[in-house]
Amino acid sequence: MCTAYEVAGKKRGSDPGYLDAAAVAELILIDQPRLIRPTIPAPVIMPDKSLRTMLWGFKLPVPGKPGKTRTAVNSREEKLGGHTWNKSFRERRCLIPAAAFYEWVEIRGSMVPLRFERPEEQMTWIAGIWRVEQDRGECLSMITTEPNSLLGPIHDRMPAVLTDSQIGAYLSGELQEFGPSAVPLIYREAENYLKKKGSEAPPVPPTQGELF
């Protein structure tokens, strides 16, 4: 399950045409890679092409534990019809711009993060939903779906990474199903960002290696 991704305004390449001039200017201001983890504010693209900032994760009650809550950063595709997610999926969709996202795997006896990104410095566009919470304001959740052939050996889920042609249909409400992403991705081993000081510190550029 993806619990960390990276934003960087200098990512180039894929431009689906859903950014207005103001949104582009705001993204470019992110001059250093920024690691986004649960509850950290992150930029999202709205259906009207504007850019907003939201906290990552919905606060949900813990079943059987009155007064206890948990942060749900991801929403599974097969559960989008359920009570928790349905209204947001029908009425409050957004697009999450990411330079990369991370998944963990055991390598050489230790758990390490793998950094997934599109080749040639292209932006990764991920399907998201959002809602307003009384004590936290606007909050987003990342949709996850079945893994493609690249992610399958690593995890049983992956972010719903959209192709450029899917973006318009998703934001307009037409796209209802995702499945394994057809977007080309590459990955490499990254430094353990959990050991870095500061939750927004970006990972050191990783090296390519034999992983499996």
Side-chain angles (χ1 to χ4, degrees), residues 54-197:
M54 302 183 183
L55 298 181
W56 188 19
F58 288 7
K59 184 183 287 187
L60 302 178
V62 177
K65 296 184 178 181
K68 297 291 185 179
T69 61
R70 63 185 179 89
T71 300
V73 297
N74 297 324
S75 41
R76 298 172 68 97
E77 176 182 5
E78 62 270 26
K79 294 186 177 182
L80 291 173
H83 173 74
T84 300
W85 315 107
N86 184 254
K87 187 174 180 64
S88 292
F89 184 59
R90 287 187 289 108
E91 302 178 6
R92 296 186 295 269
R93 297 185 176 196
C94 63
L95 188 63
I96 303 170
F101 64 89
Y102 293 85
E103 295 289 358
W104 289 77
V105 68
E106 184 175 351
I107 301 176
R108 299 181 293 275
S110 299
M111 296 301 293
V112 299
L114 302 182
R115 184 179 189 274
F116 291 83
E117 63 181 332
R118 293 181 70 168
E120 300 180 359
E121 295 296 311
Q122 296 187 70
M123 187 75 78
T124 301
W125 304 101
I126 302 172
I129 56 178
W130 66 280
R131 71 180 189 180
V132 178
E133 297 185 358
Q134 184 174 4
D135 58 339
R136 301 169 73 228
E138 294 179 341
C139 302
L140 74 104
S141 179
M142 179 184 293
I143 294 175
T144 65
T145 185
E146 300 173 64
N148 59 21
S149 58
L150 182 69
L151 270 291
I154 297 165
H155 203 283
D156 63 357
R157 309 293 300 172
M158 72 173 292
V161 178
L162 301 174
T163 65
D164 292 353
S165 61
Q166 288 178 312
I167 291 174
Y170 175 68
L171 291 177
S172 69
E174 297 176 23
L175 184 66
Q176 299 294 320
E177 298 180 351
F178 303 94
S181 176
V183 174
L185 296 169
I186 57 176
Y187 70 89
R188 47 187 176 167
E189 183 179 339
E191 183 182 16
N192 185 347
Y193 52 77
L194 295 180
K195 294 182 178 180
K196 298 183 72 67
K197 294 182 179 180

Side-chain angles (χ1 to χ4, degrees), residues 27-42:
L27 280 177
I28 290 176
L29 288 176
I30 306 172
D31 58 350
Q32 295 294 326
R34 182 187 303 166
L35 188 67
I36 305 297
R37 302 203 66 231
T39 73
I40 290 178

